[in-house]
């Protein structure tokens, strides 16, 4: 019965299947994003606006290390989806075992380094002035929980790869809800301040891992590995690494982006500008949840059918995913263009932030309606195991366009140059992605005669 579930990826109607995969993914991302959003609101109102900036300094460091788990998860899950499509269950199991080993070894090593050089890392990522002390408190506690988060992020992609999107959704919802409850207890009731926010986050990662362990030992999962599967297999590690490097590179670029943005904005506008960016960044995570859900739902369907050589279904999945994601992105755009000030006021009543924030947010989301092409296009190459184009397209927005723009435009337009870099990089990255995706479809997605 469990095996029939993964085979559904190759037989059910695409539109129905995409909704079935994307809806739980969207709900899970929504709850996770709401957690980040409400957590930021709690911190801003119960601790202060500087605390928001402090968390914004820590996030790129902790999420880069945790992104190792996501990178290993997505890289390995691409292999698992294609292996299941080809009925090669032993390769799928061996891949999962290798994912676990790689995640533990790499994240524990990086956390050790991160704790040894804490002060220098925090300052490098914009933890200056009044931001440093609360950032250090948050950083040192959260980093202990990062390996747990990495395991959760890795395993979540595997759950989705074997066709169990609802359980993947639960794995995202449970820690988010528990984090909010513990936020209320630790910050509001016990007045633990930044330490309370950090412990709430770390313990929520532990709760998530407990749920995921339960799933894999239960009858609901077909990924029943043993100790033999944990031993590293070089060809599998190489394939996981090449595909996972795409995700890791993206997160590395995100972390570098935070580094540049926090420092550039601090120099141009101080704590107020950094806080404004932090709020816009939270909304970027939250508001895009339906589009990211479609992208997550798209991955296992495309990978499975590519592995099964059902190219007509791969093309249909691409077209349907882009259409759904574009409609949802446009709806997000409309809401954020109309209500930016109301959104800013949820986070803080600081007069300077409320004054600057709405206009900044409009620029951040100005090109949102076209982002579906870029997200789905980059995800497609990762789903089918083509690491080089996946890497290029994944890095195009921030690495090739956004970072150079924020280094150049502020010299001519000041802080305004930072904000207009968002839509310019979105447009350029979408054009590049559309070109490569269209070429791939014409060359390689040629339906076979049935």
């Amino acid at each position: 019965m469990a095996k029939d579930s993964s085979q559904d990826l190759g037989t059910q109607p695409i539109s129905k299947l995409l909704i079935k995969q994307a809806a739980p993914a969207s709900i899970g991302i929504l709850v996770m994003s709401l957690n980040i959003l409400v957590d930021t609101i709690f911190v801003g109102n119960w601790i202060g606006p500087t605390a928001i900036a402090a968390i914004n300094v820590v996030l790129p460091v902790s999420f880069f290390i945790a992104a190792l788990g996501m990178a290993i998860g997505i890289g390995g899950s691409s292999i698992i989806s294609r292996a299941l499509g080809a009925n090669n269950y032993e390769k799928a199991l061996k891949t999962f075992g290798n994912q676990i080993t790689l995640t533990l070894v790499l994240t524990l090593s990086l956390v050790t380094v991160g704790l040894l050089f804490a002060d220098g890392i925090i300052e490098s990522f914009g933890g200056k002035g009044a931001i440093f002390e609360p950032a250090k408190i948050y950083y040192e506690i959260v980093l202990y929980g990062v390996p747990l988060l990495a395991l959760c992020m890795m395993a979540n992609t595997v759950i989705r790869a074997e066709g169990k999107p609802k359980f993947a959704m639960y794995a995202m919802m449970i820690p988010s809800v528990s984090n909010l409850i513990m936020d209320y207890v630790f910050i509001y009731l016990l007045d633990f301040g930044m330490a309370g926010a950090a412990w709430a986050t770390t313990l929520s990662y532990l709760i998530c891992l407990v749920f995921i362990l339960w799933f894999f030992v239960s009858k609901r999962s077909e990924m029943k590995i043993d100790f033999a599967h944990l031993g590293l297999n070089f060809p599998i590690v190489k394939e996981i690494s090449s595909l996972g490097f795409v995700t890791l590179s993206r997160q590395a670029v995100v972390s570098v982006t935070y580094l540049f943005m926090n420092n550039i904005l601090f120099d141009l506008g101080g704590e107020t500008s950094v806080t404004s960016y932090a709020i816009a960044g939270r909304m970027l995570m939250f508001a895009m949840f339906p589009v990211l859900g479609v992208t997550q739902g798209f991955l296992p369907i495309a990978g499975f059918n590519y592995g099964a050589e059902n190219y007509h279904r791969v093309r249909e999945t691409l077209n349907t995913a882009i259409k759904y994601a574009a409609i949802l992105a446009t709806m997000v755009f409309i809401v954020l263009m109309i209500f930016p000030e109301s959104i800013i006021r949820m986070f803080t009543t600081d007069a300077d932030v409320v004054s600057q924030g709405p206009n900044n947010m409009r620029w951040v989301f100005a090109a949102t309606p076209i982002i579906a092409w870029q997200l789905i296009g980059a995800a497609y190459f990762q789903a089918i195991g083509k690491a080089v184009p996946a890497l290029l397209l994944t890095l195009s927005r921030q690495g090739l366009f956004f970072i150079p723009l924020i280094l150049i435009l502020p010299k001519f337009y000041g802080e305004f140059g930072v904000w207009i870099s968002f839509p310019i990089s979105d447009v350029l990255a979408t054009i590049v992605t559309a070109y490569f995706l269209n070429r791939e479809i014409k060359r390689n997605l040629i339906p076979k005669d049935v």
Side-chain angles (χ1 to χ4, degrees), residues 69-100:
M70 180 182 289
I72 294 167
I74 292 177
S77 294
S78 173
I79 302 170
I80 290 172
S81 290
R82 286 178 280 123
L84 292 174
N87 292 315
N88 189 346
Y89 288 95
E90 182 58 29
K91 183 175 182 180
L93 294 174
K94 186 66 177 177
T95 300
F96 184 34
N98 277 229
Q99 287 176 290
I100 295 172

Side-chain angles (χ1 to χ4, degrees), residues 102-365:
L102 285 171
T103 301
L104 284 172
V105 171
L106 293 176
T107 57
L108 289 173
S109 299
L110 281 180
V111 164
T112 301
V113 173
L115 290 170
L116 288 173
F117 300 98
D119 288 5
I121 291 172
I122 291 169
E123 290 179 355
S124 297
F125 278 84
K128 304 171 182 177
I131 300 174
F132 178 80
E133 283 303 324
K136 185 174 182 180
I137 293 170
Y138 191 83
Y139 176 92
E140 290 183 337
I141 296 172
V142 166
L143 222 61
Y144 287 112
V146 165
L148 306 180
L149 175 60
L151 285 169
C152 293
M153 294 171 81
M154 179 276 293
N156 191 275
T157 65
V158 177
I159 295 172
R160 190 170 285 109
E162 58 171 307
K164 308 295 193 311
K166 288 186 179 180
F167 287 95
M169 174 186 73
Y170 300 150
M172 297 173 76
M173 293 175 64
I174 290 173
S176 299
V177 173
S178 62
N179 185 35
L180 294 181
I181 294 171
M182 288 186 286
D183 265 345
Y184 177 75
V185 174
F186 292 158
I187 302 175
Y188 186 77
L189 295 182
L190 300 179
D191 195 25
F192 286 172
M194 289 300 295
W199 278 116
T201 299
T202 297
L203 291 175
S204 71
Y205 299 157
L206 177 60
I207 293 172
C208 178
L209 185 59
V210 169
F211 171 79
I212 285 173
L213 288 173
W214 167 82
F215 171 80
F216 283 111
V217 299
S218 73
K219 295 180 180 179
R220 293 165 175 81
S221 173
E222 58 193 276
M223 304 299 290
K224 303 302 182 186
I225 64 170
D226 54 39
F227 284 108
H229 294 126
L230 297 174
L232 296 179
N233 177 280
F234 181 73
I236 290 177
V237 170
K238 183 179 179 181
E239 192 172 359
I240 290 174
S241 300
S242 64
L243 295 172
F245 184 70
V246 176
T247 298
L248 186 62
S249 297
R250 178 175 61 228
Q251 188 57 43
V253 172
V254 169
S255 297
V256 172
T257 300
Y258 271 89
L259 186 152
F260 282 125
M261 286 288 287
N262 285 336
N263 282 284
I264 291 170
L265 289 174
F266 186 86
D267 291 339
L268 293 172
E271 285 92 348
T272 297
S273 294
V274 176
T275 302
S276 180
Y277 171 53
I279 293 173
R282 297 301 180 280
M283 284 307 301
L284 198 57
M285 295 179 189
F286 168 71
M288 297 301 289
F289 81 89
V291 181
L292 296 175
V294 172
T295 306
Q296 290 290 324
F298 162 82
L299 283 166
I301 305 172
F304 185 98
N305 285 285
Y306 193 88
E309 298 185 355
N310 291 330
Y311 298 136
H312 66 286
R313 284 178 63 83
V314 178
R315 291 185 68 150
E316 186 181 351
T317 303
L318 260 173
N319 293 333
T320 305
I322 290 173
K323 180 176 70 175
Y324 287 178
I327 292 171
L328 292 167
T330 301
M331 294 169 63
V332 168
F333 169 79
I334 292 170
V335 171
L336 287 165
M337 291 302 108
I338 297 175
F339 303 110
E341 185 172 339
S342 300
I343 292 169
I344 296 293
R345 288 186 180 277
M346 289 192 302
F347 292 90
T348 182
T349 56
D350 183 270
D352 291 334
V353 178
V354 171
S355 174
Q356 296 179 23
N359 193 51
N360 297 340
M361 188 174 292
R362 283 193 176 99
W363 281 112
V364 170
F365 287 92

